[in-house]
Amino acid sequence: MQSKLNLEWSPEQIASHLRTRWPDRPERHLCHETIYRALYQGAKGGLSRTLTRKLRTGRPLRKKRRRPDQRMPRFVAPAVLIDHRPPVIELRERLGDWEGDLVVGVRSQSAVATLVDRRTRYLRLVPLPEGHSAGHLRDALITVLSRLPAHARRSLTWDQGSEMARHHELAPYFADGIFFARPGSPWQRGTNENTNGLLRQYLPKRTNLSLYTVDDLRSIEHRLNNRPRKTLSWQTPAQAFTAALAL
């Protein structure tokens, strides 16, 4: 169990792994809440409290979630809103419907772009070493998109940030087009928002993200893509994406 925590697996992922690894040995099964208690209560014979740093939040104490502040739009894109996306995208039944955003560093001076496939939760981290202007983002996304087969590039949903001011130059890479969430509505890109939350364990706020190398980002990407997900019936995003590519 400690080895999985050191790999930043969540208690729920570990609990599922134990049931899968030893299906006929219930004495080895644990509820994820039991693992949390062992971490946070720090009782004698329990897990080291230092392992709380391996959890996504990294908090030494548990706390209630708070409602995130809504971000005001910085750019109103002359493009198609999310309301007009093809209904098939909502079903998560096909590969290639991506959600994207920026993870921004200290004082908004550095950033990394994120692309997440809605069906498989597969993540691509896009380095932006020269900056996150519309031109820089366009060039970086084209580098990643050009390496994907056409059936893995159906649509893209982004927020109305100014970094997407040149979205029309990316449109040819998506068969069904590019769509924009409504201002102050991050839940309309829920898959991406959740993934960005996971990323903050590795790319903390108030950090200079330009210090992360391409190899650093690939290592983080590998960690997240190879952790089992409850929403994928405990498959990993990498497994689900590879299987979907072969269809």
Side-chain angles (χ1 to χ4, degrees):
M1 181 163 56
Q2 182 167 313
S3 65
K4 298 302 184 186
L5 286 167
N6 278 319
L7 289 174
E8 291 95 21
W9 285 37
S10 73
E12 192 171 21
Q13 290 166 338
I14 293 171
S16 174
H17 169 74
L18 293 174
R19 292 191 296 270
T20 303
R21 178 67 177 82
W22 290 285
D24 301 321
R25 299 188 64 181
E27 72 276 7
R28 286 185 173 267
H29 300 176
L30 290 174
C31 169
H32 66 276
E33 185 60 32
T34 300
I35 300 173
Y36 275 118
R37 286 201 299 269
L39 279 167
Y40 282 109
Q41 293 177 0
K44 184 177 180 180
L47 295 168
S48 169
R49 284 285 295 274
T50 61
L51 287 172
T52 59
R53 299 171 188 167
K54 297 293 185 177
L55 298 176
R56 180 177 66 81
T57 63
R59 297 191 188 106
L61 297 172
R62 300 182 84 171
K63 60 185 292 187
K64 293 182 179 180
R65 291 180 181 269
R66 62 180 180 180
R67 182 179 177 180
D69 294 329
Q70 293 185 341
R71 187 179 72 173
M72 294 301 292
R74 292 171 291 165
F75 173 72
V76 178
V80 182
L81 288 175
I82 194 172
D83 311 59
H84 303 289
R85 285 196 315 193
V88 66
I89 297 176
E90 302 297 328
L91 301 177
R92 299 182 186 271
E93 291 180 348
R94 67 180 189 178
L95 183 69
D97 292 312
W98 299 85
E99 293 180 9
D101 196 11
L102 295 183
V103 172
V104 181
V106 62
R107 295 189 293 276
S108 298
Q109 293 181 355
S110 59
V112 172
T114 61
L115 288 171
V116 188
D117 178 63
R118 282 174 55 81
R119 176 182 175 182
T120 66
R121 277 63 170 185
Y122 187 77
L123 167 69
R124 290 304 314 269
L125 293 179
V126 184
L128 297 168
E130 305 299 325
H132 51 286
S133 69
H136 289 132
L137 180 65
R138 174 206 58 197
D139 293 344
L141 289 180
I142 286 175
T143 298
V144 173
L145 296 170
S146 61
R147 296 171 182 167
L148 292 172
H151 70 284
R153 291 185 277 107
R154 308 277 190 174
S155 71
L156 174 64
T157 302
W158 206 277
D159 70 7
Q160 296 191 34
S162 60
E163 70 276 2
M164 282 295 283
R166 302 177 75 164
H167 62 87
H168 57 284
E169 297 173 30
L170 293 167
Y173 289 88
F174 296 97
D176 286 346
I178 297 176
F179 304 90
F180 289 85
R182 289 192 171 277
S185 304
W187 58 87
Q188 293 187 332
R189 299 176 298 99
T191 301
N192 188 257
E193 286 290 308
N194 177 68
T195 303
N196 287 353
L198 299 177
L199 274 171
R200 282 304 187 184
Q201 183 176 0
Y202 305 97
L203 304 175
K205 295 180 179 179
R206 297 177 294 278
T207 299
N208 181 358
L209 300 184
S210 67
L211 298 178
Y212 290 81
T213 67
V214 172
D215 287 342
D216 292 334
L217 296 179
R218 291 293 165 266
S219 178
I220 296 168
E221 191 180 275
H222 180 82
R223 282 281 180 103
L224 290 178
N225 283 334
N226 286 277
R227 286 190 346 205
R229 302 287 184 89
K230 182 178 182 179
T231 191
L232 298 174
S233 299
W234 301 111
Q235 272 191 309
T236 69
Q239 290 170 332
F241 188 80
T242 299
L245 272 179
L247 295 177

